[in-house]
């Protein structure tokens, strides 16, 4: 194996002792986790000792874009290293294209035992995410007869990680395990012992859908709701730490590539809305990414240059010694690169593109044809739109963003043999899946 030491000019490769066999891979995805909600990303309030320790023992990427601001599209990009137009899972009832090769399929073909433990039906077998996974554990379903309660379906992170640990214990090595925990996704209902960030708030607000849909919330109500989200972040961190400790106790940790990330962020009224799948502002698509693997990845390093979720799969393939397919949109995380990134959103009438080149970020609402341009070095909160001051730059970025979509759709046609994106009807989902998707805001009238 090789040791990576991230430097501004690129990685420095050093030889080190060969490992006895292919490493295991753990891909841990926390649904709806903003990067700035973690201690290792500068949050001074929320306690996240689990991922903070992982960052000290591995490499943290400071500037990471997900490829969309909702789960199915972004995780499809994470697992395929393809932009959304290429893998086809862009809208509510789109199914991941069978022609898109998942990381799981590549690793399974190389002799890995593969497993997926998911608590979000957006990533269920109904939408094609079981490709290449020998074991596919979907942790939502009716647990007693009668009316389906949402609380029955949304499995908490501690139970998800218990199931993940049990799968690891029963697995041969090398293994590839993908884990998706759904908290801190709304509704925000943390265990009581983590509800410690309200700071004396007198607000009666809860994290229920009824409160989250209200339009008359005052500042204290909004702060209270954000504190419940923070509490779920802390609860998830404890569950993640338990899984890492399990790997450590059983002697597997140092021979396992651990990737910690999220599918997207969450808006908390920075641009007038709460939730996700609504826009492509930084609070929606900036996600954490930490990589730990002592034989090849430097400890305690922070990489400032922009990277993307599509870069994760090529990195894992390089670390395990497998070639990456030529069609991938991502590159290894440590490869020299220009500072660019791309994201898109097609959901419930929203049709947006975002392109980043250096400090410049274009957001293009294709429905209204509104284009916004931000200089993130001067306006990291995306409050100062300079599109009218920079018309030529805006046109150039818009042309490049449109070209990314055209290229993606061309790739999709090649992967699918010229077909259209596969879709399912709501009737093809189980009652449990429909109930939970509605509760998570993916019904006709919800806001995730």
């Amino acid at each position: 194996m090789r040791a990576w030491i991230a430097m501004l000019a690129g990685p420095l490769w050093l030889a080190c002792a060969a490992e006895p066999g292919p490493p295991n891979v753990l891909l841990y995805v926390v649904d709806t986790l903003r990067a700035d909600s973690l201690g290792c990303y500068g949050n001074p309030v929320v306690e996240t000792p689990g991922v903070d320790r992982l960052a000290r023992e591995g490499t943290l990427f400071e500037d990471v874009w997900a490829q969309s601001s909702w789960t199915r599209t972004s995780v499809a990009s994470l697992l395929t290293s393809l932009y959304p137009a290429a893998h086809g899972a862009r809208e509510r009832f789109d199914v991941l294209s069978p022609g898109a090769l998942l990381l799981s399929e590549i690793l399974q073909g190389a002799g890995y035992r593969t497993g997926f433990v998911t608590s979000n039906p957006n990533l269920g077998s109904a939408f094609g995410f079981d490709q290449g996974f020998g074991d596919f554990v979907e942790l939502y379903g009716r647990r007693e007869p009668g009316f389906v309660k949402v609380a029955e379906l949304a499995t908490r992170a501690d139970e998800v990680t218990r199931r993940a640990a049990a799968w690891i214990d029963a697995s041969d090595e090398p293994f590839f395990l993908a884990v998706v925990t759904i908290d801190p996704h709304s509704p925000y209902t943390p265990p009581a012992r983590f509800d410690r960030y309200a700071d004396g708030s007198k607000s009666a607000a809860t994290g229920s859908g009824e409160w989250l849909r209200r339009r008359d919330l005052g500042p204290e109500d909004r702060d209270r709701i954000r504190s419940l989200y923070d509490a779920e972040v802390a609860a998830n961190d404890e569950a993640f730490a338990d899984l890492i400790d399990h790997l450590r106790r059983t002697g597997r940790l140092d021979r396992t590539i651990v990737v910690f990330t999220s599918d997207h962020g969450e808006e908390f009224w920075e641009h007038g809305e709460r939730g996700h799948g609504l826009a492509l502002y930084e609070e929606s698509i900036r996600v954490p990414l930490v990589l730990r693997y002592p034989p090849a990845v430097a400890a305690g390093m922070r990489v400032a240059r922009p990277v993307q979720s599509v870069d994760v799969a090529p990195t894992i393939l390089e670390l395990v010694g497998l070639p990456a397919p030529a069609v991938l949109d991502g590159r290894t995380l440590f490869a020299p690169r220009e500072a660019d990134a791309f994201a898109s959103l097609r959901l419930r009438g929203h049709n947006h593109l975002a392109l980043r080149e250096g400090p410049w970020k274009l957001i293009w609402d294709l429905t209204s044809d509104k284009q916004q341009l931000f200089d993130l070095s001067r306006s990291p909160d995306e409050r100062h739109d300079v599109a009218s001051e920079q018309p030529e730059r805006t046109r150039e970025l818009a042309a490049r963003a449109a070209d990314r979509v055209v290229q993606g759709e061309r790739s999709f046609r090649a992967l699918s043999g010229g077909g259209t994106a596969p879709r399912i009807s709501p009737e093809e989902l189980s009652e449990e899946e429909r109930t939970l998707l509605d509760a998570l805001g993916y019904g006709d009238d919800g806001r995730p």
Side-chain angles (χ1 to χ4, degrees):
M1 299 299 292
R2 293 173 290 184
W4 275 339
I5 300 179
M7 304 181 70
L8 291 178
L12 175 66
W13 303 90
L14 298 175
C16 68
E19 287 297 293
N24 305 311
V25 181
L26 171 65
L27 174 62
Y28 192 97
V29 182
V30 183
D31 201 313
T32 321
L33 181 63
R34 290 170 59 130
D36 64 4
S37 63
L38 299 170
C40 53
Y41 280 86
N43 191 297
V45 176
V46 185
E47 296 108 336
T48 55
V51 69
D52 294 351
R53 179 176 181 181
L54 192 79
R56 291 192 302 271
E57 297 177 350
T59 293
L60 178 147
F61 296 85
E62 297 177 345
D63 190 354
V64 186
W65 266 23
Q67 268 46 76
S68 192
S69 59
W70 78 291
T71 300
R72 193 179 313 144
T73 301
S74 61
V75 175
S77 288
L78 178 68
L79 291 174
T80 64
S81 189
L82 297 174
Y83 289 134
H87 62 60
R90 293 191 283 181
E91 301 191 39
R92 281 177 61 208
F93 296 109
D94 284 349
V95 176
L96 183 63
S97 171
L101 190 65
L102 272 66
L103 176 63
S104 51
E105 295 175 279
I106 299 172
L107 293 176
Q108 187 179 58
Y112 275 72
R113 181 174 178 184
T114 55
F116 196 147
V117 180
T118 176
S119 53
N120 189 331
N122 271 307
L123 305 177
S125 55
F127 295 108
F129 283 86
D130 55 347
Q131 295 173 210
F133 287 105
D135 297 304
F136 198 81
V137 183
E138 299 179 75
L139 294 180
Y140 36 84
R142 178 175 293 181
R143 298 175 191 161
E144 56 187 49
F147 180 74
V148 178
K149 301 176 182 178
V150 174
E152 289 184 286
L153 305 180
T155 305
R156 291 197 185 279
D158 55 354
E159 175 60 22
V160 174
T161 53
R162 276 196 292 271
R163 294 291 293 272
W167 185 91
I168 290 170
D169 288 345
S171 175
D172 297 327
E173 297 188 40
F175 63 76
F176 168 50
L177 178 63
V179 178
V180 177
T181 56
I182 202 165
D183 35 0
H185 194 294
S186 62
Y188 313 126
T189 55
R193 67 189 178 90
F194 291 97
D195 185 5
R196 51 181 180 250
Y197 303 110
D199 196 24
S201 173
K202 301 298 190 296
S203 170
T206 72
S208 68
E210 179 183 3
W211 271 94
L212 298 180
R213 288 189 293 269
R214 288 177 60 165
R215 293 289 184 174
D216 61 344
L217 298 174
E220 194 168 18
D221 296 325
R222 293 182 176 185
D223 288 345
R224 173 58 180 147
I225 288 170
R226 178 61 190 269
S227 77
L228 293 167
Y229 169 88
D230 291 342
E232 289 206 337
V233 171
N236 200 309
D237 180 79
E238 181 177 271
F240 171 71
D242 287 345
L243 182 58
I244 297 301
D245 287 345
H246 182 78
L247 287 171
R248 201 184 305 271
R249 287 193 305 272
T250 56
R252 296 184 181 95
L253 182 58
D254 285 349
R255 62 176 184 266
T256 300
I257 299 164
V258 179
V259 181
F260 177 96
T261 191
S262 176
D263 52 353
H264 53 75
E266 186 86 322
E267 296 183 52
F268 283 101
W269 301 282
E270 291 90 346
H271 291 88
E273 296 287 350
R274 188 228 48 92
H276 55 271
L278 307 167
L280 295 174
Y281 294 113
E282 293 292 284
E283 56 267 20
S284 294
I285 59 173
R286 183 74 71 88
V287 295
L289 177 58
V290 181
L291 178 63
R292 183 195 190 278
Y293 182 51
V297 177
M301 298 299 299
R302 300 178 72 94
V303 177
R305 63 178 179 271
V307 298
Q308 308 179 81
S309 293
V310 288
D311 299 330
V312 169
T315 304
I316 291 172
L317 290 174
E318 185 166 37
L319 282 171
V320 303
L322 294 174
V327 298
L328 304 189
D329 289 315
R331 295 163 289 181
T332 64
L333 288 163
F334 293 92
R337 68 184 62 218
E338 296 179 1
D340 68 334
F342 177 71
S344 62
L345 169 67
R346 280 174 56 170
L347 181 66
R348 258 199 241 100
H350 300 289
N351 192 0
H352 301 172
L353 305 178
L355 183 73
R356 165 87 173 271
E357 289 193 355
W360 299 101
K361 177 181 177 180
L362 171 83
I363 297 180
W364 185 0
D365 184 340
L366 297 174
T367 304
S368 65
D369 201 30
K370 179 182 179 181
Q371 296 176 350
Q372 296 175 285
L373 182 68
F374 303 100
D375 180 351
L376 296 180
S377 67
R378 296 175 179 269
S379 180
D381 59 359
E382 296 165 292
R383 298 289 186 186
H384 183 47
D385 175 12
V386 297
S388 61
E389 303 166 25
Q390 297 273 348
E392 185 61 29
R393 190 182 300 274
T394 302
R395 282 193 294 271
E396 289 176 0
L397 293 184
R400 290 173 191 155
D403 186 57
R404 294 283 179 96
V405 176
V406 171
Q407 290 178 18
E409 291 176 342
R410 187 180 299 125
S411 295
F412 176 82
R413 288 192 295 272
L415 291 170
S416 61
T420 58
R423 296 173 64 85
I424 64 171
S425 67
E427 291 72 25
E428 294 178 76
L429 299 171
S430 68
E431 181 183 359
E432 290 90 345
E433 288 168 322
R434 290 197 303 271
T435 299
L436 185 52
L437 286 170
D438 287 346
L440 296 174
Y442 293 104
D444 292 330
D445 303 317
R447 187 186 314 145

